[in-house]
Amino acid sequence: MAESRRGRVAGLLACREHPLSRNLLVRKLDPPQTWNPMVENYLRATGFYHVSKIWIIHGFHPLLSVLVERWRPETHTFVMPVGEITVTLEDVAYIFGLPIDGEAMSGWTDSSANFVRSQSYAIFGREPEVSTSSKSYIKLAWVRRVRDAEPLDTEDSIRRYVRCHIFCLLGSNLFADKSTAYAHAKYLPLLRDFDRIHTYSWSSACLAHLYRALCRASRFDTKEMDGPLNLLFVWAWERMPCIAPVPRNTLPPTEIPVAKRWSHSARTTAWSSNTVVTFRHHIDYMQEGSNIRIMIGSLSDGRTPD
């Protein structure tokens, strides 16, 4: 026990090696992913219904900086005064409502023009608009236009709409990178067989992406963090009320997805004026049992997203 505590103290001291002036930038806000209610049953069938209900969640770069400086890449945990904590697979399932069970998302990436073109025709029914600097990145605004132009009068049209919608979610929320306006074509094969979309463990892939983003951001020369930041912020606010923008009891009741109740949540002027130093202070004085909380309370009875 003493040795474990000494290790945590050493980790906390290591956190202080970061420059006090370091402020990680939060990637630009994404437009809300609105969708036609006609496709609800299809979104449920793919496992993307719950995450589709989440709107914009406003991040805050001083808080992001403080969380990242406590991240230990060696253990994939945050070192806190009360111990080590981390985002778990169950957290992802409750916050985003994504499937846990299923096949791993693995395979090889083909960035050739022929691959992008053929996959795009299969998913979107037309040749894509791609980035001028990298032909393997498809413009998300173009995908949204394709989606919104679908008449939804046939099975094919509805499935094309849902594939477009999911691709936008992957590129803007779940596997976001710093481009903000484009998503990699490597995700297209996962959407090609519509009946297999729900068979992948999307939660596992999202969690792995967050871990990788945190490890990259923990490097001293990193200026901006990508990845599923909505997941990280909601997890921090639910687990550590002392750093949340509003009291949890002022929010709507907890339900899956948990992130929905933080969408467009108001924040006080006092909270918005917090700096890296003040967030550090809040975390330094956390007390075990009174600040680290169970993710979803009344929903933590074994239920998982349907």
Side-chain angles (χ1 to χ4, degrees), residues 92-110:
V92 182
Y94 284 128
I95 293 173
F96 278 172
L98 290 170
I100 291 180
D101 299 326
E103 302 177 39
M105 293 171 53
S106 61
W108 55 281
T109 301
D110 186 346

Side-chain angles (χ1 to χ4, degrees), residues 61-208:
H61 60 84
L63 176 56
L64 180 63
S65 299
V66 171
L67 291 173
V68 169
E69 71 182 22
R70 289 181 173 272
W71 178 256
R72 302 269 69 82
E74 303 83 3
T75 57
H76 288 167
T77 57
F78 296 98
V79 179
M80 300 293 181
V82 296
E84 296 181 17
I85 58 175
T86 194
V87 186
T88 67
L89 194 56
E90 184 180 37
D91 293 334
V92 182
Y94 284 128
I95 293 173
F96 278 172
L98 290 170
I100 291 180
D101 299 326
E103 302 177 39
M105 293 171 53
S106 61
W108 55 281
T109 301
D110 186 346
S111 298
S112 67
N114 287 337
F115 170 83
V116 176
R117 188 180 301 109
S118 64
Q119 292 295 325
S120 181
Y121 271 107
I123 302 300
F124 309 125
R126 63 206 76 186
E127 189 168 344
E129 285 188 13
V130 297
S131 169
T132 55
S133 58
S134 177
K135 302 301 181 183
S136 58
Y137 279 83
I138 298 175
K139 193 172 185 179
L140 289 174
W142 174 83
V143 178
R144 294 187 184 98
R145 290 197 299 270
V146 171
R147 177 196 61 187
D148 295 340
E150 288 296 330
L152 303 179
D153 55 353
T154 65
E155 184 77 8
D156 287 342
S157 178
I158 293 174
R159 291 192 172 200
R160 187 156 45 245
Y161 180 103
V162 173
R163 287 190 182 100
C164 290
H165 178 73
I166 294 175
F167 186 77
C168 289
L169 287 173
L170 299 181
S172 62
N173 292 324
L174 306 184
F175 307 116
D177 57 28
K178 295 174 183 177
S179 68
T180 73
Y182 298 86
H184 202 285
K186 64 184 177 182
Y187 302 117
L188 294 180
L190 300 171
L191 308 179
R192 189 158 184 168
D193 186 341
F194 193 88
D195 295 326
R196 286 180 58 83
I197 295 175
H198 76 282
T199 65
Y200 296 105
S201 179
W202 296 99
S203 282
S204 300
C206 184
L207 182 61

Side-chain angles (χ1 to χ4, degrees), residues 7-68:
R8 289 198 295 269
V9 171
L12 286 170
L13 292 175
C15 288
R16 299 307 188 196
E17 294 176 3
H18 290 265
L20 290 177
S21 60
R22 186 181 188 229
N23 246 344
L24 277 174
L25 297 178
V26 178
R27 64 188 302 274
K28 296 178 181 179
L29 294 175
D30 303 303
Q33 298 297 319
T34 57
W35 45 279
N36 193 312
M38 288 178 57
V39 305
E40 177 178 325
N41 290 337
Y42 290 81
L43 286 174
R44 288 184 180 276
T46 60
F48 280 83
Y49 169 70
H50 293 293
V51 72
S52 296
K53 295 165 65 178
I54 303 169
W55 280 55
I56 290 177
I57 295 173
H58 297 289
F60 197 44
H61 60 84
L63 176 56
L64 180 63
S65 299
V66 171
L67 291 173
V68 169

Side-chain angles (χ1 to χ4, degrees), residues 239-306:
R239 291 288 192 186
M240 296 173 281
C242 63
I243 59 174
V246 294
R248 297 197 325 171
N249 59 9
T250 65
L251 297 173
T254 308
E255 61 178 17
I256 296 173
V258 173
K260 181 184 176 184
R261 72 188 195 135
W262 292 96
S263 299
H264 295 298
S265 64
R267 53 188 62 188
T268 64
T269 303
W271 189 88
S272 298
S273 65
N274 280 324
T275 64
V276 168
V277 174
T278 53
F279 277 124
R280 281 183 184 143
H281 177 83
H282 293 327
I283 291 177
D284 284 343
Y285 285 89
M286 285 195 309
Q287 296 180 2
E288 189 169 6
S290 61
N291 293 97
I292 304 295
R293 300 195 177 186
I294 295 174
M295 173 58 58
I296 124 176
S298 61
L299 292 183
S300 60
D301 57 0
R303 283 192 285 169
T304 55
D306 53 14

